[in-house]
């Protein structure tokens, strides 16, 4: 195991301890874009940004950002596991958000429950009631956060359909939604999946070890009552202290991020770290990580596995029910990077064969395109956007 990963694990393990971050005052090392939030970055580049607060059926407050454009062309961006909406804008002028805005789209960016801007609930307190507040996986995000947001965007724009972009676990949510609430298939004009996460049989690199150890790690998490992980308030300052110093690139990027998600040194320059670590990570939960690991280990795209006894109570069967992908009728585009160690081409082949309405399945030609290049890669404008904007023209 690399030193970077060990340090990262120590960081996560000690996330509750804010003392170190206070001593080092790492915020001083951030760039201007590292310090601004979504709205601030949009404004800096001359775009107006609106902030909305929605409440889900089960009581979570979600912050939704919008850069208003042509209301007949709404686009909703859904981030993955641990970033926030910010990941789609931190590349500034070259970001997906501002590139879409420049082309006139009405751009909306969700912040999923429990992450930096959406860490609130009508009655549960995340700090004093973590085991209740963080008791969700990507399933709840899919059946509550997405419908609330999609319906709000459609209502505000007066449209019946919207275009969606999901990245990583943000794509998973659409497969769950289409299967569990099939009426939402009709509300999506085109669902663009960047680095699709559904079947996880062939995940490789440093993710393999934590996946294989997931049931032990999860058991440890239960004993230590660890529900929230990689939160913005506690983990991000520690990563700033570790990663924004001379050895930071070797430690955090070459030692951890690349071994986890694929190597692309050209796509992530050292100078960008003081922006990146102002926004990443934004928070996740033990239950989400365990659920993803279950999908990989059981090699089935199914609901959360509580174990035989609880499954009988929750699902009336010893195994958790599988999601029925044949119901995901929305028109879909799948986009894969060749250097992505998490969303692997072989697994996406199986997804492609399982979804009934894939109109394009694209493997980007740039060989080093990794999992994170879709959201903050340095050369998205040449390696990625031309393919996407062609498809947007063709299908919308
Ligand atoms: C973003 O930053 C601006 C300026 O600091 C602040 O007014 C706004 O409330 C922030 N938005 C959110 C959602 O935190
Ligand atoms: C962003 O792009 C726009 C349009 O291409 C340009 O006018 C503006 O100067 C750019 N801003 C920065 C800070 O690069
Ligand atoms: C978490 O949610 C499950 C089902 O959604 C429920 O059975 C369980 O009691 C909840 N646990 C806590 C601590 O709220
Ligand atoms: C539980 O499953 C059994 C067998 O699959 C079925 O006969 C029974 O009706 C189910 N019970 C409920 C409450 O759905
Ligand atoms: C995707 O699935 C469709 C339908 O099953 C199939 O015709 C097509 O060849 C698949 N594409 C790839 C690249 O595997």
């Amino acid at each position: 195991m690399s030193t970077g990963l060990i340090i990262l694990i120590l960081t996560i393990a000690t996330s509750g301890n804010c003392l170190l971050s206070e001593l080092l005052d790492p915020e001083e090392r951030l760039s201007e874009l590292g310090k601004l939030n979504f709205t601030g970055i949009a404004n800096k580049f001359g775009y107006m940004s609106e902030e909305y607060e929605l409440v889900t059926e089960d009581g979570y407050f979600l912050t939704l950002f919008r850069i208003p454009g042509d209301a007949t062309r709404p686009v909703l961006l859904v981030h993955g596991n641990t970033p926030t909406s910010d990941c789609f804008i931190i590349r500034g002028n070259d970001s997906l958000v501002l590139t879409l805005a420049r082309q006139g789209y009405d751009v909306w960016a969700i912040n999923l429950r429990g992450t930096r801007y959406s860490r609130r609930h009508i009655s549960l307190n995340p700090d004093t009631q973590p085991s209740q507040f963080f008791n969700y996986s990507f399933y709840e995000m899919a059946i509550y956060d997405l419908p609330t947001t999609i319906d709000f965007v459609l209502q505000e724009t007066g449209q019946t359909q919207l275009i969606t972009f999901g990245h990583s676990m943000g794509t998973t949510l659409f497969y769950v939604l289409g299967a569990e609430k099939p009426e939402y298939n009709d509300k999506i004009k085109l669902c663009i999946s960047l680095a699709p996460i559904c079947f996880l049989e062939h995940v490789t690199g440093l993710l393999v070890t934590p996946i294989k150890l997931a049931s032990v790690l999860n058991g440890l998490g239960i004993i230590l009552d660890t529900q929230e992980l990689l939160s913005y308030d506690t983990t991000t300052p520690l990563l700033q202290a570790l990663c924004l110093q001379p050895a930071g690139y070797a430690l955090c990027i070459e030692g951890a991020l690349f071994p986890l998600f694929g190597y692309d040194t050209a796509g992530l320059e050292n100078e960008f770290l003081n922006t990146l670590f102002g926004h990443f990570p934004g928070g996740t939960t033990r239950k989400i990580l365990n659920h993803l690991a279950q999908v990989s280990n059981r090699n089935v795209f199914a609901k959360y596995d509580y174990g035989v006894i609880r499954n009988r109570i929750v699902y009336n069967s010893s195994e958790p029910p599988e999601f029925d992908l044949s119901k995901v009728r929305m028109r879909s585009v799948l986009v894969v990077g060749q250097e992505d160690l998490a969303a692997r081409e072989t697994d996406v082949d199986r997804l492609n064969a399982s979804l009934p309405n894939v109109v394009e399945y694209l493997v980007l030609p740039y060989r080093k395109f990794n999992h994170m290049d879709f959201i903050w890669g340095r050369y998205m404008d040449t390696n990625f956007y031309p393919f996407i904007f062609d498809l947007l023209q063709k299908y919308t």
Side-chain angles (χ1 to χ4, degrees), residues 42-308:
N43 295 161
K44 184 181 153 54
F45 289 93
Y47 291 88
M48 196 177 113
S49 170
E50 298 172 353
E51 300 181 355
Y52 297 86
E53 189 168 69
L54 315 183
V55 188
T56 65
E57 205 180 299
D58 60 344
Y60 289 84
F61 286 105
L62 306 179
T63 295
L64 179 64
F65 293 111
R66 175 196 196 179
I67 299 187
D70 173 0
T72 66
R73 291 190 289 154
V75 178
L76 174 65
L77 307 183
V78 182
H79 64 82
N81 184 20
T82 68
T84 67
S85 63
D86 293 2
C87 69
F88 292 114
I89 200 171
I90 53 178
R91 276 291 179 183
N93 249 1
D94 293 333
S95 67
L96 183 58
V97 166
L98 295 190
T99 305
L100 286 163
R102 217 165 19 242
Q103 305 216 2
Y105 290 95
D106 193 25
V107 188
W108 301 74
I110 197 174
N111 287 279
L112 296 166
R113 60 181 56 199
T115 59
R116 176 182 179 183
Y117 303 110
S118 300
R119 205 173 166 278
R120 268 164 305 134
H121 186 273
I122 50 170
S123 62
L124 300 173
N125 181 326
D127 298 313
T128 59
Q129 300 166 285
S131 56
Q132 283 104 324
F133 184 97
F134 295 104
N135 184 22
Y136 55 81
S137 172
F138 57 78
Y139 174 72
E140 286 79 6
M141 293 172 157
I143 64 159
Y144 297 121
D145 298 2
L146 281 192
T148 300
T149 308
I150 289 171
D151 289 338
F152 182 79
V153 171
L154 293 179
Q155 179 201 317
E156 287 293 302
T157 55
Q159 301 301 302
T160 54
Q161 286 194 313
L162 44 61
I163 300 164
T164 64
F165 278 88
H167 173 249
S168 188
M169 189 192 72
T171 68
T172 319
L173 306 187
F174 287 96
Y175 315 139
V176 174
L177 178 68
E180 294 289 303
K181 297 199 163 191
E183 67 275 20
Y184 279 85
N185 284 295
D186 303 321
K187 302 189 182 194
I188 293 169
K189 185 181 276 180
L190 188 66
C191 173
I192 301 178
S193 288
L194 310 175
I197 293 290
C198 183
F199 300 108
L200 295 169
E201 187 181 0
H202 298 95
V203 170
T204 182
L206 272 186
L207 280 171
V208 171
T209 311
I211 288 174
K212 291 279 175 266
L213 293 177
S215 66
V216 174
L217 295 173
N218 186 56
L220 203 63
I222 291 171
I223 292 168
L224 299 174
D225 196 20
T226 304
Q227 313 299 341
E228 183 184 27
L229 289 159
L230 299 169
S231 85
Y232 180 77
D233 286 342
T234 57
T235 309
T236 309
L238 285 166
L239 288 184
Q240 287 163 12
L242 279 173
C243 306
L244 304 183
Q245 41 104 2
Y249 194 87
L251 192 65
C252 303
I253 306 303
E254 289 172 328
L257 198 74
F258 286 165
L260 287 165
F261 296 115
Y263 291 80
D264 182 14
T265 37
L268 183 54
E269 73 282 23
N270 191 27
E271 296 70 39
F272 185 61
L273 299 192
N274 59 13
T275 295
L276 176 59
F277 287 110
H279 300 271
F280 177 81
T284 185
T285 69
R286 174 178 56 74
K287 199 167 175 181
I288 291 177
L289 298 179
N290 196 42
H291 194 179
L292 289 169
Q294 288 174 355
V295 169
S296 179
N297 289 327
R298 300 179 69 243
N299 200 15
V300 186
F301 188 52
K303 290 189 185 177
Y304 193 83
D305 186 0
Y306 290 98
V308 176

Side-chain angles (χ1 to χ4, degrees), residues 2-14 239 242 251-252:
S2 79
T3 326
L5 190 71
I6 291 168
I7 298 206
L8 202 68
I9 289 168
L10 287 176
T11 305
I12 296 161
T14 56
L239 288 184
L242 279 173
L251 192 65
C252 303

Side-chain angles (χ1 to χ4, degrees), residues 18-30:
C18 304
L19 190 64
L20 179 61
S21 57
E22 278 163 23
L23 283 174
L24 296 173
D25 197 14
E27 173 134 353
E28 285 308 304
R29 302 176 196 175
L30 294 178

